[in-house]
Amino acid sequence: MHSFARFLLVFAVVAAGSAFGQAIVLKDGNRVFSSEFSIQDGKIVRTVQIGENKATTILEKKNIDSLEWPYPAELTESADLLAKGKTEEAIAVLKKGRDFFENFEGIEGNWYIDIYFAYIEALNQGGKFDEVVKSLPSLRALKLTDAQKMRLRIIQLDIERQTSSDYAGILVEAQSILKETDDSAIGASLWALIADVHTRKKEWEKALLAYLRIPVFYGTQMQRVPEAELNAAKILIKMKRYEDANAFLARISESYPGSPVAESATKEKAAIAGMKNVAEEEADAAAADGKTDAAKPKEGEPAKPTDSKPKA
């Protein structure tokens, strides 16, 4: 009796694993699990074990009914990498996923559109402007969800931000999209865009507040947080709040070890080492004279000591 119960338990586990596993469902009802096929030169090759021998055959797309595929590991892994400030690695993971699912494009249950869209967003976040522009026609041709169409509007607006000086129009459009949705991913993307526009306009206070909205109000969108924090620290340097920036940069270096974000933070921190906050009035005056960055030493140079003596 106990043996039979154990058999049922094992059978249930195996059945559950099969039900939620990765498999191609053929039109005849048979399933080909991920361990039984591979992609070779753009072809789906099935490997069948017959005794001690193996036989291979090509699976034609016309014979495939659908895919049974849980949430792709590529989407989870890339989001984790972006949250650690490792944008390049996230792009590589998504590219690999895109190349795999492209072989099943048009088949029900395929994750191609989701992964391709995430890939383009990662490229955009990583500043791969030319690649994003080249990919837009194929992205627009896909059957996108309403949420993806709105995210596409943000990508297009981001391109406009980089190619146009109509900052007022860009800010109006960004605020308009914010009113249309409460999606946190879209909100985080838009505030990053808004912050960059204010940075280009040298509106440091507005830029700082916009960047800080991302970790404060959109903390669940971890893939946006590292870059937002680094940019906020850079704005503090523009405002000559060197001590505040130094504390920010130190925390970034500790929070995202081994990432480009951490490396950049370490360089910025070294450049302002020992520098004190400048009074707001003096910083404003320097900014008005176009000297905001004058006190910041060039990369690799030691910081100039701060004169702490009172003015005569």
Side-chain angles (χ1 to χ4, degrees):
M1 196 63 183
H2 290 297
S3 298
F4 182 69
R6 280 197 295 271
F7 169 78
L8 287 178
L9 179 60
V10 171
F11 178 81
V13 171
V14 171
S18 299
F20 296 98
Q22 301 168 334
I24 296 172
V25 181
L26 302 178
K27 289 184 177 178
D28 62 8
N30 287 318
R31 284 170 171 74
V32 181
F33 292 97
S34 57
S35 59
E36 301 171 2
F37 74 88
S38 60
I39 306 297
Q40 300 176 20
D41 299 323
K43 297 178 180 179
I44 307 168
V45 180
R46 182 181 187 182
T47 302
V48 180
Q49 187 80 37
I50 304 174
E52 296 181 356
N53 301 314
K54 290 183 179 180
T56 60
T57 183
I58 304 298
L59 285 179
E60 300 291 343
K61 283 183 67 175
K62 64 182 181 180
N63 295 325
I64 298 175
D65 179 67
S66 62
L67 286 184
E68 282 186 356
W69 217 271
Y71 193 77
E74 291 87 351
L75 290 175
T76 304
E77 185 179 350
S78 61
D80 182 58
L81 288 167
L82 288 169
K84 294 176 180 176
K86 299 180 179 181
T87 307
E88 292 292 337
E89 293 178 38
I91 290 172
V93 167
L94 289 167
K95 183 180 184 301
K96 184 178 178 181
R98 180 205 65 175
D99 293 345
F100 173 80
F101 283 104
E102 189 173 19
N103 295 285
F104 302 95
E105 189 176 0
I107 293 175
E108 184 182 349
N110 185 20
W111 289 91
Y112 174 71
I113 294 178
D114 300 80
I115 287 190
Y116 185 50
F117 204 100
Y119 172 65
I120 300 300
E121 287 186 312
L123 286 175
N124 191 52
Q125 188 171 334
K128 311 289 185 181
F129 178 70
D130 292 338
E131 293 180 54
V132 173
V133 172
K134 289 178 184 177
S135 301
L136 280 182
S138 57
L139 190 62
R140 293 192 188 102
L142 297 175
K143 189 176 181 180
L144 304 176
T145 63
D146 289 341
Q148 288 169 335
K149 288 176 183 177
M150 182 168 283
R151 285 156 61 188
L152 178 57
R153 284 173 62 188
I154 297 172
I155 293 174
Q156 292 170 327
L157 188 62
D158 202 32
I159 291 172
E160 186 178 344
R161 168 186 64 86
Q162 300 180 65
T163 57
S164 170
S165 58
D166 181 20
Y167 298 139
I170 294 170
L171 289 174
V172 167
E173 175 67 6
Q175 293 290 350
S176 174
I177 297 175
L178 276 173
K179 293 177 182 177
E180 295 178 33
T181 180
D182 57 1
D183 187 297
S184 60
I186 292 173
S189 299
L190 283 169
W191 279 108
L193 188 153
I194 291 169
D196 183 77
V197 171
H198 286 309
T199 300
R200 289 168 185 258
K201 294 176 69 178
K202 298 184 178 181
E203 297 173 344
W204 310 131
E205 189 73 32
K206 290 182 179 179
L208 177 64
L209 292 175
Y211 278 127
L212 290 178
R213 287 186 75 96
I214 297 172
V216 173
F217 295 104
Y218 301 96
T220 57
Q221 300 302 312
M222 291 301 298
Q223 65 271 29
R224 290 283 178 181
V225 172
E227 186 179 5
E229 291 181 336
L230 177 62
N231 285 327
K234 289 180 178 179
I235 295 298
L236 286 171
I237 294 173
K238 294 284 188 183
M239 299 170 72
K240 294 197 170 185
R241 291 170 56 179
Y242 301 119
E243 293 170 279
D244 300 332
N246 190 62
F248 228 98
L249 293 167
R251 194 180 65 76
I252 292 170
S253 298
E254 294 173 3
S255 299
Y256 312 108
S259 71
V261 168
E263 291 174 9
S264 181
T266 300
K267 290 179 181 179
E268 293 285 347
K269 188 173 182 292
I272 61 170
M275 299 179 73
K276 304 295 182 182
N277 286 349
V278 176
E280 189 175 344
E281 315 83 64
E282 294 179 40
D284 289 343
D289 292 337
K291 301 176 182 177
T292 305
D293 296 324
K296 180 181 176 181
K298 295 180 181 178
E299 187 174 316
E301 291 184 358
K304 296 178 181 179
T306 303
D307 185 1
S308 58
K309 294 181 180 179
K311 293 181 179 179

